[in-house]
Amino acid sequence: MSETERYALDASVCINLAATGRATEIFEALKAEFFVTRVVVEELARGRGQGRSAADELATWLHLGFVMEQDLLPESEDTFLSLVGGPAAVTIDDGEAATIAWAITNDAVIVTDDRKAVQIAKVRFPLLKVLSTTDLLLHGNCQNALGPSAVVDCIENALLNAFMRVPIDQLDRVVQLLGPERTKKCRSLPSAVRG
C-alpha cells in the first residue's frame, strides 16, 4: 500500500474494524486514505436502534479525520443503479453498491467482506481491486505497527464480536495465527476448521 492509496470501506468492514478495538491504530499503520459513502454512514446509523455501536465508532473516525465521508457523484449513479436494480441474483445492497460505484469513479480500492459484493465486483469490474478486513489486518504495516500478537487479538475480536467473514484464500493463515484453542471459539469460521 502506498501513502496515496485510497480505500472505500463498506459497512461490514467498518463493523469489523470497530470490533477490533484498535481501528484508529490500524488506520494509522496502513498510511492510506479511507472513505465511506453517505449510504454506508446511514446504514450503520440504522443499527444504533438495535444496540450496535459501529455508527458511533465511525462518527469518531470521521471526526478525527481517519475516514472521510463522501457523496456519490452523478457519474457514479448509473453504476450504483445497475448494482441495486434487477433480479436478486445479480444485485447487492445499497451500501455495497454505493461503495463499489464510488470506488470506480474515484480510482479507489473497495474493502468489503460481503461475499456476493466481492463476486459481483470481480465479474462486472475485473480491474477493480477488492480487499477484505482480513487483508487490512494481515498487511505488513499492521503487523509492524501493532505487533503480531496484537494483530491476532484484532482478528479474534472481529471474529467473535462482529462475526467477520474470512475469505477462503486467507482462511488457512488465519487459523494458523489463531491456533486451535482460539479457532474453536470463533463461530463465524467454518465448522470444518474449528474442529
Side-chain angles (χ1 to χ4, degrees):
M1 291 181 201
S2 69
E3 289 187 358
T4 58
E5 204 139 25
R6 300 157 61 90
Y7 295 92
L9 310 177
D10 81 347
S12 65
V13 174
C14 292
I15 291 165
N16 292 331
L17 289 173
T20 68
R22 301 187 73 169
T24 57
E25 294 170 83
I26 293 165
F27 293 137
E28 287 177 332
L30 293 172
K31 299 178 180 145
E33 295 178 330
F34 296 90
F35 301 88
V36 291
T37 63
R38 183 176 308 278
V39 176
V40 167
V41 173
E42 292 168 355
E43 182 179 336
L44 290 173
R46 287 191 296 275
R48 278 191 180 115
Q50 299 158 0
R52 298 189 184 120
S53 63
D56 297 328
E57 291 287 330
L58 177 58
T60 300
W61 306 337
L62 291 165
H63 176 74
L64 296 174
F66 288 108
V67 178
M68 292 165 269
E69 182 179 344
Q70 301 288 302
D71 287 317
L72 282 182
L73 298 172
E75 54 267 30
S76 302
E77 297 257 337
D78 287 342
T79 302
F80 172 78
L81 292 173
S82 76
L83 289 165
V84 297
V90 294
T91 59
I92 54 179
D93 291 338
D94 288 1
E96 288 83 14
T99 303
I100 290 171
W102 187 90
I104 290 168
T105 304
N106 291 279
D107 195 29
V109 175
I110 179 176
V111 189
T112 181
D113 292 320
D114 184 276
R115 183 178 290 122
K116 188 175 178 185
V118 169
Q119 290 171 342
I120 287 174
K122 287 183 176 183
V123 169
R124 293 209 30 215
F125 312 104
L127 299 179
L128 179 64
K129 187 172 179 181
V130 181
L131 296 177
S132 66
T133 305
T134 306
D135 292 317
L136 297 182
L137 295 174
L138 293 177
H139 189 277
N141 288 357
C142 268
Q143 299 276 335
N144 293 337
L146 277 66
S149 177
V151 168
V152 173
D153 291 344
C154 288
I155 291 169
E156 182 180 32
N157 288 341
L159 288 165
L160 291 173
N161 301 324
F163 303 101
M164 177 176 75
R165 188 187 74 77
V166 176
I168 293 293
D169 65 329
Q170 297 281 15
L171 196 54
D172 289 342
R173 184 169 180 204
V174 166
V175 168
Q176 180 184 19
L177 289 169
L178 289 171
E181 292 307 311
R182 287 174 133 178
T183 298
K184 283 180 191 176
K185 295 188 299 184
C186 298
R187 298 235 172 251
S188 62
L189 292 173
S191 58
V193 302
R194 285 187 278 122

